[in-house]
Amino acid sequence: AQSVSQHNHHVILSEAASLELGCNYSYGGTVNLFWYVQYPGQHLQLLLKYFSGDPLVKGIKGFEAEFIKSKFSFNLRKPSVQWSDTAEYFCAPNTNAGKSTFGDGTTLTVKP
Amino acid sequence: GAVVSQHPSWVICKSGTSVKIECRSLDFQATTMFWYRQFPKQSLMLMATSNEGSKATYEQGVEKDKFLINHASLTLSTLTVTSAHPEDSSFYICSARDRGQNTEAFFGQGTRLTVV
């Protein structure tokens, strides 16, 4: 069965601090990897995705993620967070059939 | 491209009534759509997989008679919450997979259901 683990439940940072959110997954077959963001009261938005190729992927709003196959990880990073990055972040691997499994999510609070 | 639209965005209904939520792929054909539920401050949980022209596949613990799914065309799937109760209040989100490519499903904006 496919599963995903997000290590950080709630992260609190000051503006300009660097961010790294952990994500580990387990799945026996080919998996595609996604990070989504959900701002308070809003719907899901895609931050970035990895299918194949360069394991370092860049997304919107300065976010990036690195796929490390040997560690089954796909950690999300941002060098300098802003107050507007306060949101819920979900790691969601999916199979080639398009079925997503969501992690529990990480609540990021950025203090101005 | 790859836009998925849900309707309505929010709905309030009385306990015991039924509510239908639509999920449409606007610019692509979707042989498969997925329905998720998100309770407050929780993650998204897959409820069922909807396949065009066939019966939906429900995840363990999801009552198929309560959450009726119909996927009658390549661009529309509907979720009907029958005899809704306050505990069914949640955020319902669909995603759709483009039949032309297999690697990604696109999410709708979600429907917030409140049962009073």
Side-chain angles (χ1 to χ4, degrees), chain B residues 21-40:
Chain B
I21 302 170
E22 294 185 347
C23 179
R24 292 181 185 274
S25 56
L26 299 186
D27 50 2
F28 65 97
Q29 292 183 325
T31 51
T32 305
M33 292 186 175
F34 303 93
W35 286 96
Y36 298 82
R37 180 169 52 187
Q38 184 182 29
F39 289 110

Side-chain angles (χ1 to χ4, degrees), chain B residues 9 25 47 51 72 75 83 89:
Chain B
S9 298
S25 56
M47 298 175 66
N51 298 297
T75 59
S83 186
S89 298

Side-chain angles (χ1 to χ4, degrees), chain A residues 10-89:
Chain A
H10 193 179
V11 173
I12 302 173
L13 296 172
S14 298
E15 276 196 313
S18 64
L19 170 72
E20 180 160 1
L21 301 182
C23 173
N24 285 89
Y25 66 93
S26 65
Y27 185 66
T30 301
V31 65
N32 308 301
L33 299 160
F34 300 80
W35 274 98
Y36 294 91
V37 61
Q38 189 174 34
Y39 297 102
Q42 296 189 28
H43 60 277
L44 280 179
Q45 294 180 41
L46 178 66
L47 269 181
L48 47 78
K49 57 189 176 184
Y50 172 80
F51 295 151
S52 63
D54 188 344
L56 183 63
V57 293
K58 295 189 182 299
I60 61 172
K61 304 184 181 185
F63 286 90
E64 64 179 32
E66 184 175 11
F67 169 56
I68 302 180
K69 188 175 181 179
S70 60
K71 295 184 178 180
F72 297 92
S73 70
F74 190 56
N75 292 355
L76 180 72
R77 300 194 293 247
K78 185 170 184 177
S80 176
V81 295
Q82 301 172 317
W83 175 79
S84 58
D85 293 325
T86 294
E88 189 83 13
Y89 292 81

Side-chain angles (χ1 to χ4, degrees), chain A residues 38 43 49 96-97 100 103, chain B residues 36 38 43 97 102 104 109:
Chain A
Q38 189 174 34
H43 60 277
K49 57 189 176 184
N96 275 341
S100 297
Chain B
Y36 298 82
Q38 184 182 29
S43 187
R97 183 172 70 94
N102 295 321
E104 184 175 358
Q109 74 270 34

